[in-house]
Amino acid sequence: TACGRQYLRPFHVTSNSSYHHHGTPRSCASKRCKGAGLKDTIVYFGEKLRDADLDRARAESARADLAVFLGSSLKVLQHYKFIWEGTG
């Protein structure tokens, strides 16, 4: 949202989103946003991570002793070489 507010959702949202279409039926409650629509943060196969998320992933992976990847074929992760650095 324009105001930077984030909403946690206690329900499934993928029925309303798809590859490159992340709008939801919900809107921001902030007066500053004037009812602007909310978007989900799901990354579908073939989509790129946002730079801010990728930067955080790099920083966190550099500090981690162990990485566990759930729900992935690991083919996507081959693109992110920093994940595999220092393994062996």
Side-chain angles (χ1 to χ4, degrees), residues 3-81:
C3 68
R5 189 170 183 181
Q6 294 184 1
Y7 293 83
L8 297 178
R9 58 190 180 273
F11 51 86
H12 188 68
V13 297
T14 56
S15 61
N16 294 316
S17 66
S18 61
Y19 183 75
H20 288 294
H21 298 283
H22 295 277
T24 72
R26 300 175 70 205
S27 58
C28 183
S30 169
K31 290 181 182 178
R32 179 177 170 196
C33 286
K34 300 177 184 172
L38 297 178
K39 296 180 180 182
D40 68 43
T41 56
I42 297 165
V43 179
Y44 286 98
F45 184 82
E47 291 182 331
K48 295 187 181 230
L49 292 172
R50 295 181 312 156
D51 288 338
D53 293 333
L54 190 54
D55 290 344
R56 181 173 179 196
R58 281 190 179 104
E60 296 293 341
S61 67
R63 295 181 20 204
D65 293 324
L66 173 69
V68 179
F69 301 96
L70 302 175
S72 173
S73 66
L74 297 181
K75 290 181 182 180
V76 174
L77 297 177
Q78 291 175 9
H79 176 73
Y80 300 105
K81 302 293 184 195

